[in-house]
Amino acid sequence: MVTKDILLKAYTLMCKARAMAAIYEENRPITKYVHSTSKGHEAIQIAAGFLLKSIDYAAPYYRDESMLLSMGMQPYELMLQLLAKADDPFSGGRTYYSHPSLKRDNMPKMPHQSSATGMQAIPATGMAHGIKYKESQNLLPDGDKPIVLCSIGDGSMTEGEVSEALQMAVLKELPILYLVQDNDWGISASGDEMRAMDAYEFAAGFKGLKRAKTDGSDFVECYDDLKSAIEWVRKNRKPMLLHAKVPLLGHHTSGVRSEWYRDDLEKQLADDPFPKLKKILLDLAESELNLLKIEAECKREIADSFDRAVKAPDPTPESLYLHEFAPTPVTEEKGIRSPEGKEPIVMVDAALFACDEILRKHPEALLYGQDVGIRLGGVFREAATLAKKYSKDRVFNTPIQEAYIVGSTVGMSAVGCKPIVEIQFADYIWPGINQLVEEVSKSCYLSNGKYPVQTLIRIPTGAYGGGGPYHSGTVESSILQIKGIKIVYPSNAADMKGLLKAAFYDPNPVVMFEHKGLYWSKVPGTDMAKCPEPDEEYIIPLGKARTVLHADDAAVKYGESMAIITYGMGVYWALNAAKKFEGKVEIIDLRTLSPCDDEAIYNASKKHGKVLVLTEETLRNSFAEAIAGRIQFNCFNYLDAPVQTMGSANLPAIPLNIGLEKEMLPNADKVAAVIEQMLSY
């Protein structure tokens, strides 16, 4: 039975939530930032907040202010967020109302949540996945049985990424409760327009997903059903979905008002949870006078809190630049790059050995993606033997779910795991871009530094030998537009190992592009990609370029030299082309594309006065052209010729035919022709 004390506490919070909704509506010129309220959803949300423990994790959605109140948040704190104030405890004035990111000892942990509807399902499932993994490795405190609550609207359940999350939850038997709040509306689209079935019916298709329904407007039923559901998930360590039917009694958001499209408000008012809870208390002999007193006190508190929040300071302009990234511990090159007596190894082995060392040393590390598991060890054998060494819990295959592979790392990182994941080919990254943009890249910045995402996302890339249009793409310029992530692109075995280690130890998300044509040095002219394996301590700080070929001092002195700025396969096109121009070409291997070593680029440009920026990507609107523009702007007075750029032909895809592939890509001969032209200036 729900005690009277709990009912009174719920009633008080419901009064506060209603007073908050009212004061926001009354002060629309002040509450100008778009927001949603929980009006009509309070019963299920308050019950959820009461029942979660401080060891648990939660992924609320943008209407869950009552859940936040029942977890222990104060109205004043939420108002600071509503008004985008400096002391907003979630984001410091950066993100929307009721978009939580909180890490307090006495409350459930809440990593950053985006506004991309339904997108929280994958990071939340990643949290449960991480918890399950830590349990399997005995990495949780004795006796702890944390669960994850993923709160979501019924309309969001139609998102494809939600299905990816549910699939993994049942496949891996994860301790997560999906709480679906169904108010029968999207924005102006009603349930019968958006879906063929509700979330409860939809969940029946996921074998192993326990499901239940509750009346989301009845606090007692909500509390009892949620208590049972949470206890079941906590005990059985398996997923469950609870479908709660609720009324939407406010606007969709402050920017999309109910009077513009709603014709069912009167009908939905019959399910208002507030008078229902009040009647229960009156039936339990609570005096109406006391309930009115509680309501009046709540209104006064909310008015006072709102007044204080309005007067609170705004963020300073300087705060805009804080928390793009968490500080990295890797700031200098360490270890031995070329140990004596070591035979050269290929790049793919350097990556394998680096991951082996990481997994051996760090039990919180795990590796997953398509086909990296025990049978194959990656389509390029880049994870060979690792699953046998470290178990299927640590190194495992995923379904063909790029969104889950990328987005789950947010949740994994939030619970203390350190995931290394793989997208099988660069051409297949696009289903994962939504998670990379909305969740991975923004988490550190929008949580004010509380939840950086520590993940390494490995992506084989590049064309050679007739790989065709879906296995040959180079996409770094598209990914470079995403701020809040770091991007590395090694061109040899030593850099592969040193950069992979640095990427793993960096507390921020790192995307590593790995050229398939360099993995085994099968492409003619790429033997220099093989290097003696660096020692276990070798590490390279991100953002530091390397000069792989120097020009002679005499050539520089007499203006007979030039610089090539490149990376990846471009390094070998440049090296082979430069053989025809001995002593006249300096080659800079960027190694890290973001952060980019602009100092090295500008120094080389000023030193030589003639610069070629070389890439494998299609050239128009590329990273290479952006670098060329920066050189022109910052080094104009030192240039003896326009900065040249060179890349693949501007076409939609790499053709399958090897002859056409060769025509499309740069090569050493094409680069040599440009060098000859530039040295003639």
Side-chain angles (χ1 to χ4, degrees), residues 471-487:
H471 298 81
S472 306
T474 46
V475 301
E476 58 267 21
S477 289
S478 297
I479 308 305
L480 279 159
Q481 287 300 312
I482 305 169
K483 311 310 173 189
I485 62 174
K486 299 182 181 182
I487 299 174

Side-chain angles (χ1 to χ4, degrees), residues 62-79:
Y62 58 83
R63 201 179 295 284
D64 280 343
E65 65 181 355
S66 287
M67 187 184 298
L68 298 173
L69 289 172
S70 63
M71 287 178 179
M73 296 295 296
Q74 297 303 307
Y76 175 68
E77 295 179 298
L78 296 181
M79 291 171 183

Side-chain angles (χ1 to χ4, degrees), residues 23-25 27-33 35 82-83 254 306:
I23 206 166
Y24 298 166
E25 182 69 9
N27 291 273
R28 287 175 61 197
I30 297 172
T31 58
K32 57 184 178 292
Y33 300 116
H35 59 273
L82 173 83
L83 301 174
S254 58
F306 186 75

Side-chain angles (χ1 to χ4, degrees), residues 485-487 542-544 592-597:
I485 62 174
K486 299 182 181 182
I487 299 174
L542 305 188
K544 298 293 183 182
T592 302
L593 309 188
S594 180
C596 187
D597 193 346

Side-chain angles (χ1 to χ4, degrees), residues 160-308:
E161 292 187 10
V162 175
S163 293
E164 291 193 20
L166 297 177
Q167 175 73 236
M168 286 299 290
V170 296
L171 181 65
K172 298 295 183 179
E173 295 187 339
L174 304 180
I176 183 168
L177 174 62
Y178 299 96
L179 174 60
V180 181
Q181 299 176 52
D182 182 1
N183 61 32
D184 205 39
W185 285 98
I187 298 179
S188 65
S190 60
D192 59 353
E193 294 177 275
M194 294 186 297
R195 64 195 187 201
M197 64 199 78
D198 66 23
Y200 177 82
E201 295 164 323
F202 181 67
F206 293 89
K207 184 180 179 180
L209 180 62
K210 185 178 174 65
R211 59 194 181 120
K213 285 188 172 187
T214 192
D215 180 353
S217 67
D218 184 322
F219 177 79
V220 173
E221 184 174 330
C222 288
Y223 190 91
D224 287 341
D225 289 344
L226 265 171
K227 187 171 187 292
S228 296
I230 288 172
E231 288 177 350
W232 187 90
V233 174
R234 199 179 302 282
K235 177 183 177 182
N236 292 282
R237 318 307 290 157
K238 293 180 180 180
M240 181 173 176
L241 181 143
L242 180 63
H243 178 266
K245 192 70 176 176
V246 292
L248 176 62
L249 302 181
H251 310 292
H252 171 74
T253 67
S254 58
V256 183
R257 300 181 62 77
S258 59
E259 59 265 24
W260 296 349
Y261 66 93
R262 294 286 297 279
D263 56 6
D264 66 338
L265 275 171
E266 186 173 340
K267 178 183 177 182
Q268 290 218 8
L269 277 168
D271 282 327
D272 188 342
F274 185 69
K276 287 185 176 182
L277 179 55
K278 185 174 183 179
K279 183 179 185 303
I280 292 170
L281 285 164
L282 291 173
D283 290 344
L284 292 172
E286 185 64 38
S287 73
E288 184 159 10
L289 182 63
N290 187 48
L291 296 179
L292 291 172
K293 180 182 177 183
I294 291 172
E295 189 174 352
E297 288 173 350
C298 289
K299 287 180 179 178
R300 283 194 294 271
E301 178 190 341
I302 297 310
D304 176 67
S305 296
F306 186 75
D307 184 57
R308 287 192 295 132

